[in-house]
Amino acid sequence: MPQQPPPAVSVIMPVLDEERHLRNSVRHILEQEYAGEMEVVIALGPSTDRTDEIAAELVAEDPRVRTVPNPTGRTPAALNAAIKASRHPIVVRVDGHGMLSRNYIATAVRLLEETGAANVGGIMHAEGENAWEDAVAAAMTSRIGVGNAAFHTGGEAGPAETVYLGVFRREALEQQGGYNEEFIRAQDWELNFRIREAGGQIWFSPELKVQYRPRPSIKALAKQYKDYGKWRHVVARYHAGSINLRYLAPPTAVAAIAAGLVVGAAVTPWGFVVPAGYLAAITAGSLPAGKGLSLKARAQIPVALATMHMSWGFGFLTSPRSLARKVIASRRPAVVAPAATSTD
């Protein structure tokens, strides 16, 4: 009996201002060691660089690549537009600065079959292209930087709340109506929450690895982590049971350091012990994180750590309740697939 070919795969990419990495990211998709049919759907936001021109070149070069517009520029809207335009039973999310390992899709499809999961994902493997990005990558893959988040630092395979990017069964996406477009950030967590509520499983595996290019400047990193913190507080208000000590550490550190600086300046120099202790901790923590890096990169790890912690914590503390109320008002209940009826 002839062997069935692997299921066809749709790769969806939300893209905005990605001229630096888009071609390489798409190359990593098209060069996958996967025997099944494949398409790549790029959702183009209103970029201000050469992203659209590069995307047009990719479409002209390979018939498997096409584009759809995303005039809002928002990630969840881009993902929904690409899902709608795609057609295959397996949907792989990739960002414009993500580089798939060569057997990523084949491994993900195998894991979907083995586990019965609705969505599988793996490790966000940060790698830099210069000393600053190497420092950020080291911070993003260290426990002092991101705690025990498995998709940053690795861990055992098993069920998870959410995973990085994701490889989905199309029916799971369509059943839930895609991404909630009110979640400008944290849209993966919210969708995976609904999938789990409906009885689906989210599966993490360290076998799956995506190279990730860190933000190229302190300003860009600070904005990224401020947004992360702001939207993590929205998630905490959206779903009260989702918060834990790891998420409370950065806002606690921000508040303690601010208080220490005020007390140190206005009351007693002993107040400066708190910020000094924090600086000592991230400096010590950066030593194992920077193993094997250049001296210039190692010297910048504490800066990357402080930027991540302080920006995330500030974003969390200043996240407006009005944003959470707006998002909560858009709440979509999980949709449970109807039970199969017997024909006996």
Side-chain angles (χ1 to χ4, degrees), residues 151-328:
F151 71 82
H152 282 295
T153 60
E156 296 293 325
E161 278 194 0
T162 191
V163 289
Y164 179 55
L165 300 179
V167 177
F168 299 83
R169 299 179 189 272
R170 176 176 293 276
E171 62 261 30
L173 290 173
E174 293 181 344
Q175 179 181 317
Q176 299 305 325
Y179 291 85
N180 184 335
E181 296 185 13
E182 293 296 335
F183 274 81
I184 308 307
R185 296 285 184 272
Q187 65 276 156
D188 297 306
W189 180 93
E190 193 276 337
L191 174 60
N192 286 321
F193 174 69
R194 281 186 282 130
I195 290 174
R196 288 187 291 109
E197 272 200 325
Q201 186 176 70
I202 312 302
W203 187 267
F204 167 81
S205 173
E207 291 185 76
L208 298 172
K209 184 180 289 187
V210 181
Q211 290 181 2
Y212 169 86
R213 299 298 186 227
R215 295 297 193 269
S217 67
I218 292 177
K219 181 180 179 181
L221 183 67
K223 183 182 185 306
Q224 178 188 20
Y225 272 78
K226 178 174 176 283
D227 286 346
Y228 282 172
K230 179 173 74 173
W231 281 92
R232 185 61 225 187
H233 205 162
V234 171
V235 166
R237 287 166 170 157
Y238 182 92
H239 177 47
S242 68
I243 203 69
N244 60 40
L245 292 177
R246 177 167 69 89
Y247 297 123
L248 294 176
T252 300
V254 170
I257 289 169
L261 291 172
V262 170
V263 170
V267 181
T268 171
W270 285 105
F272 292 123
V273 169
V274 176
Y278 171 76
L279 290 174
I282 62 172
T283 300
S286 71
L287 297 178
K291 187 177 180 181
L293 298 182
S294 68
L295 181 61
K296 185 176 181 182
R298 294 200 303 269
Q300 295 182 84
I301 294 175
V303 179
L305 287 169
T307 301
M308 290 161 56
H309 293 161
M310 296 299 102
S311 300
W312 201 103
F314 180 77
F316 188 94
L317 290 170
T318 59
S319 181
R321 287 186 178 275
S322 59
L323 178 59
R325 285 195 294 268
K326 179 182 178 184
V327 168
I328 289 169

